[in-house]
Amino acid sequence: MQAARRAVSEKTVLERDDKDFTPKEGEKSNITPAVPAHVIYKLLGFTFAMIVAPIGTYFLTVDTIFRGNSTWAGASAAIMANVVLIGYVIVAFQEDQSDALEAAEKEKKKESKKTT
């Protein structure tokens, strides 16, 4: 019987007021973005490169290098798209590894502070 009373008295997520979600005195609010800004800038840069590099390569090579042969110019544009994509993957792996190394360094510093 007490369990039923307790369940009835508790508010559900939809019934809670905004006051329930504000930080209490002495608590700090964590409003950091889910994705850091430098990651967004890298994504935007590679998106721009993915648009400009293949199209630019096609129009630069179709008349200058391949003398009107659009097949070879299209192939070079496809190669440039793959180069940009591979570059993005490499940058993403390097960023992931650097984040892991920073986390390991912080953990070592915490452990060294605890032991001293």
Side-chain angles (χ1 to χ4, degrees):
M1 186 86 170
Q2 288 180 355
R5 287 184 196 163
R6 188 174 3 145
V8 171
S9 66
E10 292 178 2
K11 292 181 179 180
T12 64
V13 174
L14 297 174
E15 295 172 337
R16 290 184 187 157
D17 198 9
D18 286 338
K19 292 183 264 182
D20 294 340
F21 297 108
T22 57
K24 309 280 189 282
E25 285 187 35
E27 292 181 359
K28 291 184 178 180
S29 175
N30 184 7
I31 57 170
T32 57
V35 180
H38 66 90
V39 173
I40 300 295
Y41 295 142
K42 285 180 188 175
L43 180 62
L44 289 174
F46 277 101
T47 301
F48 181 74
M50 191 62 148
I51 294 168
V52 172
I55 294 172
T57 300
Y58 175 82
F59 285 112
L60 287 174
T61 60
V62 74
D63 290 327
T64 57
I65 296 174
F66 300 118
R67 295 188 180 98
N69 189 347
S70 61
T71 303
W72 287 103
S76 65
I79 290 170
M80 284 305 298
N82 285 310
V83 167
V84 172
L85 182 63
I86 290 168
Y88 180 72
V89 170
I90 290 171
V91 168
F93 274 125
Q94 288 176 348
E95 182 177 339
D96 189 37
Q97 289 175 353
S98 66
D99 289 344
L101 292 174
E102 288 175 8
E105 283 183 21
K106 287 181 182 179
E107 191 66 33
K108 286 181 182 180
K109 288 180 182 179
K110 287 181 182 179
E111 289 177 9
S112 66
K113 286 182 181 180
K114 288 179 182 178
T115 57
T116 56

